[in-house]
Amino acid sequence: GRQRRLRAGRLKRRAPAASRTYGASWTLVHYLLHGEKGRLRPRFLEYAALEARGAGAPAAFERLLGPLDHLETAWHDYEDRL
């Protein structure tokens, strides 16, 4: 919510774009592997295998991991608890 936006605003002023992108990608992968007691791990690993074979696509990601808006909300909630 508001706290997340305030923290994000401070981060944007202090960190270079590459650092912010790396941090966001790290927390997303951490969530997909460990969040929700590992519930998403098998599906994320399946998507990673598709990606490694050149068959990954946004539609495959969403098919395996669910609606992106729900995933993003759950990820940010998890990120707030790290």
Side-chain angles (χ1 to χ4, degrees):
R2 179 168 160 52
Q3 285 294 87
R4 186 177 347 176
R5 287 192 303 275
L6 290 174
R7 282 196 312 273
R10 286 193 302 268
L11 180 63
K12 284 180 183 177
R13 287 191 299 275
R14 290 192 297 209
S19 294
R20 287 192 314 271
T21 301
Y22 176 82
S25 62
W26 186 92
T27 62
L28 176 59
V29 170
H30 195 277
Y31 169 69
L32 293 170
L33 291 174
H34 305 289
E36 299 186 30
K37 299 181 180 180
R39 182 182 68 79
L40 298 173
R41 177 189 280 268
R43 289 180 267 166
F44 175 60
L45 294 177
E46 184 177 345
Y47 177 76
L50 287 172
E51 192 66 48
R53 291 193 307 269
F61 188 88
E62 195 163 4
R63 176 178 52 79
L64 289 167
L65 295 160
L68 295 181
D69 58 340
H70 171 75
L71 181 69
E72 185 173 16
T73 298
W75 162 42
H76 288 304
D77 288 346
Y78 178 81
E79 188 177 38
D80 286 344
R81 294 188 305 273
L82 286 177

